[in-house]
């Protein structure tokens, strides 16, 4: 059979870490058995038919040996419970046994696949549900690839164990115990000779297996490195061509590819040596068994059928021994995968991790939009030694526009993250409409807010699907009206597929201004009480900025708005401007008031953007 190239999923599964098999790790793995409980009747039926199929498989050598004895000595073959049998009767029993074994194998495979796929669909759903309900602090300390691996690679490993490894373990256990019992009953002397050859085979399998796995892992690591180079090059293909670095990238890939080849050839040499040794050892052992068995046959202490039966049972045992190392490795990986999945399922969700249990207010209609930060301090959980906000006190009346400006790292985006309740204040409190924000149900509270970020990342569906994300279930008329108010309907209507146009991965098919207006349309459709604009126009050209600014004016009307801004021209009309530096509000007032302060930070920023200044120029990137 041709050896196929490993897929990305194969490589990911092979690189899974193994867990030691002990009482604790196995107990954690068995804890996931609750996902099988709803399907336990089908699972037990599948398990039963696995044992039936294995038992019928053990009957094959017995019947095959009897068939040979019948051919050589008619009416001599006997079977427990059947007595003396003819050649045709043994052949019929053999055919019936094979047929029943096939039916039992079909039933067990179907049952385990149905149970496994159903249970794992439930597990994937619970993993994803738990994942998206975790707090932002959790995501800040983990990589996206690691998290997606929990829902894909780890669950795929559990799937392989449940659908393949468990039935295989049961089948091989029956073959091993039953095979040893049958060869012992057939000939004790031959059994002793056969078992004497096994230690050499087992030692060779362990010795070569470890080295082959090491070389295989090295090959896969190098292959993964080449895939990374391809992925990086294709993602940045415009930069590669702009710098005329095709030859450089080809050289980089060629070097990685040569390392793959070297590792693969080393593995191939060891594999070839192992195959040659295994052939010599295996067939040498068979020759010894046949030679000794032929002597027993010649002396009349063994029949031809018994010798055939012995050789077949020996083959079964050898097959079990050969697969045991791989099966054990798969079980170790599965235990490790279940540990990681259970860690995810035990993580505290965003709602239950709140500092205050959120009672439901008597009437939840709509927030007025009064916001007050009262002595708020904050440190990110991932950086507990680095305070970000210090005793922030800032209030906004309903419908008021508050601009947040200041140098990079001043705490502007952190303040909006607290408003969205991505995090809870470490000190002080956030009060909305006269109540502590934690007293509102989190899902309902966030439904009252909307954000238009600087870098809009759209989902890979259609324009309509991205707009309706603001209010799932809205009809086409509401979607179109939101797009019209966002100055997006005109450009959408010119597209061949209109609102059904696919925006591509992360919205790559649309320009920055178009993505921004889609995000505004989404916010308009949501109709929030509190709005957050995070550098919504900073990266747009003049024409796109004008269209977006008009749309934003419509969106901000009648809503409490917090504007994180770098361009001061966009915040001159704000009711109040809060200037932050080093996590503190250092100035507060409108544009005229702050511009009148001769040594104020805001005035220095204004001078930098709209006129010359001899003063040092700090970094005011938002």
């Amino acid at each position: 059979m041709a050896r196929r190239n490993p897929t990305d999923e194969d490589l990911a599964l092979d690189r899974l870490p193994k867990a030691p098999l002990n009482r604790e790790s196995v107990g954690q793995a068995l804890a996931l058995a609750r996902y099988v409980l709803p399907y336990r009747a089908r699972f037990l039926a599948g398990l039963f038919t696995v044992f039936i199929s294995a038992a019928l498989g053990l009957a094959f050598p017995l019947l095959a040996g009897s068939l040979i004895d019948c051919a050589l000595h008619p009416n001599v073959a006997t079977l427990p419970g059947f007595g003396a049998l003819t050649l045709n009767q043994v052949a019929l029993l053999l055919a019936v046994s094979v047929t029943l074994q096939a039916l039992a194998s079909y039933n067990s495979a179907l049952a385990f696949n149905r149970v496994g796929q159903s249970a794992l669909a439930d597990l994937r759903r619970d993993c994803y549900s738990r994942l998206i309900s975790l707090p932002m602090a959790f995501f800040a300390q983990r990589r996206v690839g690691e998290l997606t691996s929990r829902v894909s690679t780890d669950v795929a490993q559990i799937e392989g164990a449940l659908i393949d490894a468990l039935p295989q373990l049961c089948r091989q256990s029956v073959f091993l115990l039953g095979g040893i019992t049958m060869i012992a009953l057939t000939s004790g002397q031959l059994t002793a000779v056969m078992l004497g050859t096994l230690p050499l085979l087992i030692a060779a399998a362990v010795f070569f297996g470890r080295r082959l796995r090491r070389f295989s892992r090295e090959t896969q690591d190098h292959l993964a490195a080449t895939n990374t180079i391809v992925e990086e090059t294709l993602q940045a293909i415009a930069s590669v061509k702009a710098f005329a670095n095709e030859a450089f990238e080809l050289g980089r890939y060629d070097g990685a590819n040569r390392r793959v080849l070297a590792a693969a050839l080393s593995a191939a040499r060891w594999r070839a040596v192992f195959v040659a040794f295994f052939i010599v050892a295996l067939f040498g052992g068979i020759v010894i068994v046949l030679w000794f068995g032929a002597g027993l046959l010649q002396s009349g202490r063994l029949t031809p059928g018994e010798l055939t039966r012995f050789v077949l049972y020996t083959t079964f045992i050898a097959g079990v021994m050969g697969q045991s190392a791989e099966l054990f490795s798969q079980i170790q990986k599965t235990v490790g995968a279940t540990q990681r999945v259970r860690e995810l399922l035990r993580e505290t969700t965003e709602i239950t991790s709140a500092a205050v249990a959120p009672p439901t207010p008597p009437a939840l209609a709509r927030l007025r939009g009064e916001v007050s930060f009262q002595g708020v301090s904050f440190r990110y959980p991932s950086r507990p030694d680095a305070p970000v906000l210090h005793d922030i006190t800032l209030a906004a009346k309903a419908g008021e526009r508050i601009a947040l400006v200041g140098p990079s790292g001043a705490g502007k985006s952190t303040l909006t993250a607290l408003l969205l309740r991505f995090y809870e204040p470490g000190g002080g409190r956030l009060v909305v409409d006269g109540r502590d924000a934690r007293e509102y149900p989190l899902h309902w509270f966030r439904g009252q807010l909307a954000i238009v970020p600087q870098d809009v990342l759209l989902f890979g569906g259609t324009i309509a699907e991205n707009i309706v994300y603001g209010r799932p279930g809205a009809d086409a008329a509401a979607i179109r009206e939101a797009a019209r108010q966002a100055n997006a309907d005109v450009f959408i209507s010119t597209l061949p597929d209109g609102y059904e146009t696919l925006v591509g991965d992360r919205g790559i098919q649309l320009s920055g201004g178009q993505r921004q207006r889609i995000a505004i349309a989404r916010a308009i459709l949501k109709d929030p009480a509190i709005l957050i604009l995070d550098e919504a126009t900073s990266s747009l050209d003049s024409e796109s900025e004008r269209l977006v600014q008009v749309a934003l004016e419509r969106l901000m009307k009648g809503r409490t708005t917090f504007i994180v801004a770098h361009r001061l021209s966009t915040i001159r009309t704000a009711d109040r401007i809060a200037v932050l530096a080093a996590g503190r509000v250092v100035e507060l007032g409108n544009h005229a008031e702050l511009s009148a302060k001769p040594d104020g930070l805001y005035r220095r920023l204004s001078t930098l953007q709209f006129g010359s200044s001899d003063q040092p120029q700090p970094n005011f990137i938002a």
Side-chain angles (χ1 to χ4, degrees):
M1 181 181 292
R3 183 180 177 86
R4 67 179 178 87
N5 292 325
T7 63
D8 290 341
E9 184 177 357
D10 294 332
L11 299 181
L13 289 175
D14 194 76
R15 287 195 294 269
L16 282 176
K18 301 174 184 177
L21 297 184
N22 50 43
R23 180 179 298 179
E24 181 183 358
S25 62
V26 173
Q28 289 182 355
L30 292 177
L32 291 182
R34 63 188 178 89
Y35 286 95
V36 178
L37 289 179
Y39 317 100
R40 55 185 175 274
R42 190 179 296 275
F43 176 80
L44 292 174
L47 201 60
F48 176 74
T49 50
V50 163
F51 285 109
I52 294 298
S53 173
L56 290 170
L58 283 174
F60 180 83
L62 183 66
L63 292 171
S66 298
L67 192 68
I68 291 176
D69 282 341
C70 276
L72 296 176
H73 305 287
N75 298 324
V76 169
T78 59
L79 285 174
F82 291 93
L85 296 173
T86 65
L87 178 68
N88 291 337
Q89 288 174 329
V90 174
L92 180 61
L93 279 176
L94 193 57
V96 170
S97 171
V98 171
T99 302
L100 291 176
Q101 183 184 359
L103 291 174
S105 298
Y106 167 81
N107 183 76
S108 64
L110 189 62
F112 274 104
N113 269 278
R114 285 183 174 177
V115 171
Q117 296 296 348
S118 300
L120 290 164
D122 296 341
L123 178 59
R124 278 192 293 268
R125 180 200 61 220
D126 287 355
C127 285
Y128 181 71
S129 173
R130 179 57 60 104
L131 197 59
I132 61 176
S133 65
L134 293 174
M136 290 296 291
F138 174 86
F139 295 99
Q141 301 176 56
R142 293 186 175 64
R143 295 180 177 179
V144 173
E146 175 194 351
L147 298 178
T148 55
S149 176
R150 302 286 179 92
V151 192
S152 56
T153 307
D154 284 339
V155 175
Q157 178 63 41
I158 298 172
E159 175 184 356
L162 190 56
I163 295 176
D164 296 324
L166 180 59
Q168 188 179 1
L169 178 63
C170 296
R171 188 178 294 109
Q172 289 187 0
S173 299
V174 174
F175 278 167
L176 181 62
L177 296 176
I180 292 176
T181 301
M182 293 304 294
I183 63 172
L185 292 175
T186 301
S187 172
Q189 290 177 304
L190 267 181
T191 301
V193 173
M194 186 271 292
L195 293 178
T197 64
L198 282 181
L200 179 63
L201 287 174
I202 294 173
V206 172
F207 175 79
F208 284 103
R210 288 178 178 175
R211 279 153 183 78
L212 286 173
R213 280 195 296 272
R214 179 166 61 84
F215 282 114
S216 177
R217 191 174 298 111
E218 287 180 4
T219 302
Q220 291 158 5
D221 289 341
H222 290 312
L223 186 59
T226 64
N227 293 336
T228 300
I229 293 173
V230 172
E231 183 178 347
E232 289 176 348
T233 304
L234 294 181
Q235 286 178 344
I237 190 64
S239 298
V240 172
K241 292 185 176 295
F243 285 91
N245 272 339
E246 291 91 342
F248 171 77
E249 293 297 339
L250 179 59
R252 197 159 67 103
Y253 181 83
D254 188 52
N257 200 32
R258 288 180 181 277
R259 288 190 288 274
V260 173
L261 177 61
L265 291 178
S266 296
R269 282 191 291 270
W270 275 94
R271 191 174 293 110
V273 172
F274 174 66
V275 169
F277 177 85
F278 193 78
I279 288 174
V280 172
L282 178 62
F283 285 93
I286 292 175
V287 168
I288 293 173
V289 169
L290 287 176
W291 168 74
F292 193 83
L296 294 177
L297 182 64
Q298 191 177 40
S299 64
R301 286 179 290 175
L302 199 69
T303 68
E306 289 174 332
L307 181 59
T308 302
R309 186 184 308 160
F310 188 93
V311 171
L312 289 176
Y313 280 126
T314 302
T315 304
F316 280 15
I317 294 172
V320 171
M321 292 292 186
Q323 296 178 17
S324 60
E326 181 63 29
L327 183 60
F328 184 74
S329 174
Q330 187 175 359
I331 292 172
Q332 283 183 301
K333 292 177 184 177
T334 302
V335 170
T338 55
Q339 286 178 334
R340 290 185 296 277
V341 169
R342 288 201 70 219
E343 286 173 5
L344 175 63
L345 293 175
R346 288 197 301 263
E347 288 286 346
T348 305
T349 60
E350 196 169 37
I351 297 173
T352 58
S353 65
V356 179
T360 302
L364 293 176
R366 179 182 172 85
L367 291 175
R368 296 189 303 275
E370 297 174 358
V371 178
S372 176
F373 293 92
Q374 300 179 355
V376 169
S377 299
F378 179 73
R379 301 167 186 255
Y380 282 102
S382 58
R383 292 174 289 153
D385 298 331
V388 181
L389 299 178
H390 305 269
D391 195 27
I392 294 286
T393 297
L394 179 65
K397 298 177 183 178
E400 196 172 23
R401 298 181 186 181
I402 304 294
L404 305 175
V405 300
S408 178
K412 303 181 296 298
S413 296
T414 301
L415 210 57
T416 62
L418 292 179
L419 180 57
L420 284 163
R421 290 185 63 195
F422 289 163
Y423 304 93
E424 300 296 343
R429 62 179 190 151
L430 170 64
V431 176
V432 179
D433 285 0
R435 305 182 64 162
D436 192 306
R438 290 174 293 184
E439 295 182 13
Y440 296 101
L442 183 59
H443 184 269
W444 179 89
F445 179 80
R446 286 187 183 154
Q448 303 292 304
L449 286 82
I451 182 171
V452 179
Q454 176 183 4
D455 297 320
V456 178
L457 299 180
L458 300 180
F459 296 96
T462 65
I463 290 176
E465 289 170 344
N466 274 281
I467 295 176
V468 82
Y469 200 77
R471 195 177 81 214
D475 57 26
I479 295 171
R480 192 177 189 94
E481 176 58 22
R484 187 191 65 77
Q485 292 186 41
N487 284 338
D489 182 64
V490 174
F491 90 79
I492 295 174
S493 300
T494 62
L495 298 173
D497 295 323
Y499 284 82
E500 296 306 312
T501 300
L502 293 173
V503 302
D505 184 34
R506 301 161 68 94
I508 195 172
Q509 300 292 342
L510 303 179
S511 70
Q514 289 171 337
R515 289 198 299 270
Q516 209 76 1
R517 280 175 277 170
I518 295 297
I520 293 171
R522 186 159 59 193
I524 290 173
L525 188 62
K526 188 175 185 180
D527 190 25
I530 301 171
L531 178 66
I532 298 171
L533 304 179
D534 191 354
E535 292 285 359
T537 63
S538 65
S539 58
L540 303 179
D541 59 82
S542 299
E543 178 60 21
S544 296
E545 182 179 0
R546 183 186 65 82
L547 293 171
V548 169
Q549 199 64 49
V550 171
L552 288 175
E553 285 294 329
R554 293 176 184 155
L555 177 59
M556 289 187 289
K557 194 171 184 179
R559 310 179 201 279
T560 305
T561 306
F562 288 84
I563 309 167
V564 178
H566 171 54
R567 296 184 184 180
L568 299 190
S569 59
T570 62
I571 61 169
R572 286 183 168 183
T573 59
D575 296 303
R576 277 181 299 151
I577 301 170
V579 184
L580 280 76
R584 291 181 171 84
V585 177
V586 295
E587 296 178 19
L588 184 64
N590 58 35
H591 174 74
E593 292 170 346
L594 296 179
S595 298
K597 293 184 177 182
D599 297 323
L601 184 57
Y602 183 83
R603 180 167 179 172
R604 294 205 305 270
L605 177 56
S606 298
T607 304
L608 287 172
Q609 291 197 11
F610 304 115
S612 61
S613 175
D614 295 331
Q615 298 180 21
Q617 299 183 8
N619 177 16
F620 286 103
I621 298 174

